[in-house]
């Protein structure tokens, strides 16, 4: 697993200056296990020059196994490379997990960072650095908000914009919504006053960009 290259995910259409300076905003992307939806968005945003970190809110990293009753389960913090090694322990296992796409997800994860990170276990000083957090399922959106509301306020006590882009947990849908997340994040990146402008911009994004779906983009401002 050494020497893996970052996947060549299309970066969308950021302005030409994107690669010359870091983004002014910090973004967090969150799904259940920090291996598919949040990681797809992590790669897309990072390749577009944005400051981003990804997380999961589940109690464990759950990956599809040979049946719905046999998921492969790992602890958060287990390196993606170790997951890959475990899933490819036999030729039969390797063939199965290549076919269902899980080995490719582990490989991608290893090329981006060491291991899946759990949102609830991340110190407040790290969480508080994010200006915008994108959750890819409503229950995950609710879990992020609940977690932020139960944490002790930090000294800076700043706003964090939590947004939900509901996404089915499969690689195809994750890729589509990763591009949607990039479009939304670039809009937010251009704001002069995020706290003032974000509610209207999210509403406009819903009306103009989400015409293909009945899914509503949720948005809540939390403070930490």
């Amino acid at each position: 697993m050494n020497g893996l290259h970052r996947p060549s995910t299309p970066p969308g259409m950021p302005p030409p200056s994107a690669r010359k300076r870091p983004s002014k905003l910090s973004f967090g992307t969150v799904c259940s296990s920090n291996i598919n939806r949040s990681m797809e968005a992590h790669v897309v945003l990072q390749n577009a020059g944005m400051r981003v970190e990804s997380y999961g809110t589940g109690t464990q990293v759950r990956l599809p196994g040979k049946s719905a009753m046999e998921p492969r389960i790992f602890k958060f913090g287990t390196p993606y490379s170790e997951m890959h090694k475990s899933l490819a322990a036999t030729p039969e296992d390797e063939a199965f997990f290549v076919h269902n796409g899980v080995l490719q997800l582990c490989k991608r994860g290893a090329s981006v960072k060491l291991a899946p990170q759990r949102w609830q276990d991340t110190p407040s000083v790290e969480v508080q650095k994010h200006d915008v957090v994108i959750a890819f399922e409503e229950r995950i959106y609710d879990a992020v908000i609940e977690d932020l509301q139960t944490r002790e306020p930090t000294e800076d006590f700043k706003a964090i914009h939590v947004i939900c882009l509901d996404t089915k947990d499969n690689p195809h849908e994750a890729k589509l919504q990763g591009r949607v997340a990039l479009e939304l994040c670039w809009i937010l990146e251009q704001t002069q006053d995020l706290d003032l402008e974000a509610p209207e911009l999210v509403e406009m994004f819903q009306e103009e960009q989400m015409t293909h779906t009945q899914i509503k983009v949720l948005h809540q401002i939390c403070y930490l």
Side-chain angles (χ1 to χ4, degrees), residues 23-221:
S23 58
K24 67 182 179 182
L25 299 181
S26 172
F27 298 91
T29 62
V30 192
C31 65
S32 182
S33 293
N34 193 198
I35 195 163
N36 180 32
R37 295 167 291 180
S38 63
M39 184 56 73
E40 175 69 29
H42 185 150
V43 171
V44 172
L45 267 61
Q46 188 162 291
N47 284 355
M50 293 183 163
R51 289 187 291 137
V52 59
E53 191 52 79
S54 57
Y55 308 90
T57 58
T59 54
Q60 297 168 309
V61 176
R62 298 174 66 89
L63 305 178
K66 295 183 178 180
S67 75
M69 302 301 292
E70 297 177 293
R72 295 297 292 265
I73 296 174
F74 299 91
K75 292 181 179 179
F76 275 94
T78 303
Y80 292 107
S81 59
E82 288 188 17
M83 293 185 202
H84 188 285
K85 184 177 180 180
S86 173
L87 296 171
T90 68
E92 293 79 12
D93 282 350
E94 183 173 17
F96 176 84
F97 288 110
V98 165
H99 179 73
N100 77 356
V102 170
L103 278 186
Q104 293 90 316
L105 295 180
C106 292
K107 202 170 198 177
R108 178 182 64 182
S111 74
V112 175
K113 62 181 187 178
L114 177 64
Q117 295 168 255
R118 188 169 186 261
W119 171 269
Q120 296 93 327
D121 296 338
T122 304
S124 292
V125 66
E126 297 299 323
V127 167
Q128 192 256 3
K129 292 177 181 178
H130 295 309
D131 301 289
V132 177
V133 176
I134 307 287
F136 288 96
E137 193 174 322
E138 190 167 349
R139 68 182 178 87
I140 293 163
Y141 171 80
D142 292 339
V144 169
I145 291 171
E146 181 181 1
D147 175 73
L148 288 171
Q149 291 174 339
T150 57
R151 289 177 182 254
E152 288 292 322
T154 63
E155 288 186 14
D156 293 339
F157 195 66
K158 65 180 278 287
I160 299 175
H161 294 260
V162 186
I163 296 170
C164 181
L165 293 175
D166 205 46
T167 307
K168 290 182 180 178
D169 192 7
N170 64 60
H172 175 70
E173 293 295 328
K175 188 173 288 291
L176 294 177
Q177 287 291 74
R179 298 301 299 275
V180 173
L182 176 61
E183 291 178 29
L184 177 57
C185 290
W186 270 119
I187 291 170
L188 298 175
E189 174 70 15
Q190 308 311 313
T191 57
Q192 297 301 312
D193 186 330
L194 178 66
D195 297 347
L196 188 65
E197 299 174 51
E200 184 176 352
L201 288 173
V202 171
E203 190 173 329
M204 288 175 58
F205 186 83
Q206 172 79 48
E207 294 173 358
E208 297 173 6
Q209 304 290 331
M210 303 296 284
T211 55
H212 62 289
T213 176
Q214 296 297 311
I215 295 171
K216 183 170 177 57
V217 180
L218 306 177
H219 173 230
Q220 182 163 326
I221 304 177

